[in-house]
Structures are given as structure tokens and as C-alpha cells.
């Protein structure tokens, strides 16, 4: 799969001969000829998104072009496509080409342009059930293969190996200079392992929210105390998850990354966050993001007004599909009991780190409290509009978080 830099350059420069050679090799079609290539950049999802381009290939003797995706990828995604995507042919995009300067480095890949005929807002009950079953199929395919995945180069999400204080202080210097690091005790740092940087960022978000006096209707003192407790002693949060069998996680199985076709096919793209951990973490990530609908063209986020299926049905579907594949090798009772821990971990590592950047221009807590008494329409065309419209959704997120914390 690992191929030359020269060919990568020719493909990126839209050389029809290079594309012809690639497709002839991959499709085993010796008569195929690419006559023209056009390229259109795809809007990045966020400032950290890798550059992605859609290539339209005109073929001799065919009226309609075909499209493929050219994507700059990180080492994790390169590892996935070079060694593991072929084991998930019903789920992952096909990789036509992959170039890396050397093993373990960034790369550039040509991937199948997955159809996305049915927007997440129009998913049916069957669509959701099929997605959840595909997720279980992925986790079952790599169940109890943690050692092999580690040796291949994937990171261990819940690695117990202590994160050295000196390394953390160097990599996250700003947090040490501004104070949030004081929230993390030596015990917490030892127990959190490789999650230490994420917990430090969550501590920063906690400091910001405390300075603002919480978030009216969303984050009260009980929520902030729960976060503080978990950052001080993460053992009740981490141990239930560490006791579960590990598998290959996608890392971000949100609505945005699932592609659903009119032919009842479901594919999962963007494997740059793949890691090793309990499958329940992917499941909870999917559930917690299920209400968020993101427009791929504009980047605007809205919320799902009505779920086609409820959370318990999603969990039951996943457990049943996993049991059908793994039989007695899976302890679904232990997985269900670990759902609160997975939910708390998700909120700590995915929401609290955002707060410092979201509210960095908020002058003081009095202005913040005033802002929260204003109607949403007042925020139109302002930086605050994006997350202010998510207040009802976030209220549910943190209410579920508090209930999960109390059941640990």
C-alpha cells in the first residue's frame, strides 16, 4: 500500500496518466482511461482538520465522472488504512493509494468518496440500528487483540503508564503558568496515565467555569463539584473501563462521520482518532453526539428535534449484536455497568477542554450572567451564537453527566 512520493505528486497535480495507472491497478480494468481531472477542496471541519480534496475523474467512454478523495492523514489513520481497513470492508472506505515518507509519519491517501445520500436528520429506525450493528461488528472484529494493536502502533486510551510530571509541564506549559494544573494531584496524575493531558485541559475548563460562576441552567455548583472530584480522584471513573476487554475504537463515531446510502449501506470515515480501548467508549460517544447535526457545507450545527430511537434501544441493539458475534466472550452486564464511567470520561475530555477557548473573551462573570439572560436572537452574527444555540442540548449533556457521576 505504501507508494512513491513521485506518484503522489503526480496525482495531486491532476495528471490524467497517473490517475489512469492508479485506477487500472486498483480496479483491474486495463482498458480504463482517465481523460481529465478536476479538484475541489473540501471545507475543513475545524482549524485542526487535515487538508482534503475531492477529485473528479472523467473517463473515456463514460458520460459521468467518478469521484475520489485525496486526504492528508496523520500516522494513526495511515496505520489504519495500510493494515486494518481491509478487515472492515463493510465499514471503512476503500484506500486506493497511500504514501508515507517513512513508517509512522504523516501521509497522503486516495480514498473512496463515500456516498452520503441520507442526511443524519432523516435517518430512520433501520438506519440507526444498522449503524449500531456495524459499530458492534467493528468492535467484535478486534476484540481481545490489544497486544497486536499496541505492537502495530495504536495508542492505548486507558494506558496505566504514568505521564511524567516534567513532560506534562513542558508540553502544557500554559496551564502550569496560569494555575489549572494545581487541581491535578499527584495521585490523579499517576492514576490517569496517558489521559493526563486531557484531564489537565479539563481542569482548565473547570477553572474558567468557576470564574464565571457556572453556566445558568446548564452547569451549577453540583456539576462543577462532580468534575472537581473526578479530576482529584479518577479511579472510580477509570477502573470500570479498564476492566473491560479492549478493541479498536474509531474515536469519533459521530453523525458527521457516518455516511448512509439509499442502498441501506453505512460507512464510517475519518479514522485519525483510532485507538485501543473498551468498545463502550465509542458507543457512548455516538449516543452523546447523536443530537448534534452538522452541515458539511457550512459547518453550522443544529440539534435533532426527535430521535428515531431512544438511548436504551441503541444500547440494547449494540449489546445484542456484540453478543451474536462474540457469544460468551462478552460480558454485557459489565459493559452496561460501565456506561456511567464512559459518559463521565466523554464529558470530561470532550466538553470541558472547550470552555477555556469558548469563553476567553468573556470579561467577567457579571457580563456572563447578563449574557445568559438574553434571547438567542441577540447573538446573531456574533462569536457566541454557535454555542448559545446549543444551550438546551448542553443542559441535557450535563444532567446526564451528573446522574452518571452519582452512580459511579
Amino acid at each position: 500500500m505504501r507508494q512513491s512520493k513521485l506518484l503522489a505528486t503526480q496525482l495531486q497535480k491532476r495528471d490524467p496518466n497517473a490517475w489512469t495507472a492508479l485506477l487500472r491497478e486498483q480496479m483491474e480494468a486495463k482498458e480504463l482511461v482517465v481523460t481529465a481531472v478536476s479538484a475541489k477542496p473540501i471545507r475543513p471541519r475545524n482549524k485542526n482538520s487535515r487538508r482534503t480534496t475531492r477529485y473528479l475523474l472523467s473517463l473515456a467512454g463514460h458520460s459521468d465522472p467518478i469521484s475520489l478523495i485525496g486526504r492528508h492523514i496523520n500516522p494513526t489513520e495511515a496505520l489504519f488504512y495500510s493494515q486494518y481497513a481491509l478487515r472492515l470492508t463493510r465499514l471503512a472506505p476503500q484506500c486506493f493509494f497511500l504514501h508515507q515518507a517513512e513508517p509512522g509519519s504523516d501521509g497522503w491517501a486516495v480514498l473512496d468518496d463515500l456516498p452520503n445520500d441520507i442526511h443524519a436528520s432523516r435517518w430512520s429506525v433501520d438506519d440507526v440500528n444498522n449503524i449500531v450493528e456495524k459499530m458492534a461488528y467493528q468492535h467484535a472484529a478486534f476484540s481481545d487483540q490489544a497486544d497486536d494493536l499496541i505492537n502495530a502502533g495504536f495508542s492505548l486510551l486507558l494506558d496505566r503508564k504514568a505521564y511524567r510530571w516534567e513532560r506534562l509541564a513542558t508540553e502544557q506549559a500554559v496551564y502550569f503558568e496560569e494555575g489549572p494544573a494545581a487541581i491535578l494531584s499527584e495521585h490523579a496524575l499517576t492514576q490517569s496515565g496517558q489521559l493526563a493531558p486531557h484531564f489537565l485541559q479539563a481542569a482548565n475548563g473547570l477553572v474558567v467555569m468557576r470564574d464565571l460562576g457556572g453556566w445558568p441552567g446548564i452547569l451549577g455548583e453540583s456539576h462543577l463539584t462532580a468534575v472537581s472530584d473526578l479530576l482529584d480522584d479518577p479511579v472510580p471513573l477509570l477502573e470500570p473501563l479498564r476492566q473491560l476487554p479492549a478493541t479498536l475504537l474509531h474515536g469519533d463515531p459521530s453523525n458527521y462521520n457516518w455516511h448512509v446510502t439509499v442502498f441501506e449501506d453505512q460507512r464510517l470515515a475519518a479514522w485519525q482518532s483510532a485507538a485501543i480501548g473498551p468498545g463502550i467508549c465509542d458507543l457512548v460517544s455516538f449516543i452523546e453526539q447523536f443530537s448534534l447535526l452538522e452541515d458539511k457545507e457550512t459547518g453550522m450545527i443544529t440539534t435533532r428535534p426527535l430521535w428515531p430511537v431512544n438511548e436504551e434501544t441503541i444500547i440494547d441493539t449494540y449489546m445484542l449484536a456484540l453478543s451474536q458475534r462474540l457469544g460468551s466472550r462478552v460480558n454485557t452486564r459489565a459493559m452496561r455497568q460501565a456506561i456511567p464511567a464512559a459518559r463521565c470520561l466523554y464529558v470530561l475530555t470532550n466538553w470541558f477542554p472547550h470552555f477555556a477557548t469558548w469563553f476567553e473573551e468573556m470579561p467577567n462573570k457579571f457580563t456572563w450572567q447578563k449574557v445568559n439572560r438574553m434571547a438567542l436572537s441577540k447573538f446573531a452574527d456574533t462569536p457566541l451564537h454557535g454555542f448559545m444555540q446549543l444551550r438546551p442540548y448542553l443542559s441535557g449533556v450535563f444532567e446526564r453527566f451528573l446522574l452518571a457521576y452519582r452512580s459511579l
Side-chain angles (χ1 to χ4, degrees), residues 52-63:
T52 305
T53 303
R54 176 173 284 111
Y55 292 93
L56 295 177
L57 313 178
S58 298
L59 306 180
H62 296 266
S63 58

Side-chain angles (χ1 to χ4, degrees), residues 109-387:
V110 176
L111 306 170
D112 192 12
D113 188 6
L114 299 176
N116 193 20
D117 303 320
I118 304 175
H119 188 266
S121 62
R122 297 186 289 111
W123 286 350
S124 67
V125 172
D126 286 343
D127 291 330
V128 177
N129 287 340
N130 289 336
I131 283 172
V132 175
E133 289 174 359
K134 284 278 184 74
M135 199 185 313
Y137 151 72
Q138 167 203 332
H139 295 157
F142 296 96
S143 179
D144 295 323
Q145 297 179 31
D147 290 342
D148 292 339
L149 294 168
I150 291 171
N151 292 335
F154 288 107
S155 62
L156 189 60
L157 179 66
L158 301 170
D159 192 353
R160 295 177 183 271
K161 184 179 178 182
Y163 210 95
R164 291 191 305 110
W165 185 268
E166 295 79 10
R167 178 185 173 190
L168 191 64
T170 301
E171 295 176 346
Q172 312 282 342
V174 63
Y175 299 129
F176 284 79
E177 293 168 2
E178 298 180 3
I183 292 178
L184 286 182
S185 65
E186 183 176 350
H187 166 76
L189 186 64
T190 301
Q191 295 297 327
S192 58
Q194 299 304 295
L195 286 170
H198 301 282
F199 283 9
L200 181 58
Q201 293 164 15
N204 190 37
L206 174 62
V207 169
V208 169
M209 294 312 300
R210 282 204 183 279
D211 288 345
L212 291 174
W215 193 341
I218 296 175
L219 277 172
E221 183 56 37
S222 56
H223 300 90
L224 299 179
T225 298
V227 173
S228 180
D229 287 347
L230 291 175
L231 291 176
D232 182 61
D233 182 11
V235 172
L237 164 70
L238 298 176
E239 279 308 307
L241 298 171
R242 284 172 169 159
Q243 298 302 317
L244 297 177
T247 186
L248 179 64
L249 304 177
H250 175 273
D252 184 23
S254 62
N255 298 328
Y256 185 92
N257 289 326
W258 281 99
H259 295 241
V260 178
T261 76
V262 293
F263 301 104
E264 298 184 352
D265 191 22
Q266 308 80 30
R267 298 300 181 100
L268 185 56
W271 290 80
Q272 64 270 17
S273 300
I276 308 163
I280 204 73
C281 289
D282 263 357
L283 179 65
V284 167
S285 176
F286 175 74
I287 291 171
E288 284 298 324
Q289 298 182 79
F290 192 66
S291 287
L292 296 178
L293 302 173
E294 186 172 348
D295 188 296
K296 293 181 184 292
E297 297 298 324
T298 65
M300 294 295 294
I301 297 178
T302 57
T303 54
R304 189 188 299 274
L306 185 66
W307 286 32
V309 296
N310 60 33
E311 178 179 319
E312 282 305 313
T313 300
I314 291 175
I315 294 172
D316 288 344
T317 300
Y318 175 84
M319 297 296 180
L320 179 60
L322 203 63
S323 296
Q324 288 174 339
R325 292 186 172 274
L326 297 178
S328 60
R329 288 192 292 150
V330 60
N331 185 342
T332 56
R333 182 172 181 226
M335 295 184 71
R336 286 181 184 275
Q337 291 174 336
I339 288 177
R343 176 162 277 143
C344 289
L345 180 63
Y346 176 82
V347 170
L348 281 184
T349 57
N350 286 274
W351 282 113
F352 270 84
H354 289 309
F355 291 154
T357 53
W358 280 4
F359 306 122
E360 61 185 354
E361 296 182 3
M362 191 60 60
N364 55 56
K365 66 180 181 181
F366 303 105
T367 302
W368 172 239
Q369 299 299 319
K370 181 180 178 180
V371 160
N372 277 279
R373 293 194 294 269
M374 297 166 58
L376 179 61
S377 59
K378 299 291 185 180
F379 300 106
D381 301 321
T382 72
L384 293 173
H385 184 267
F387 58 80

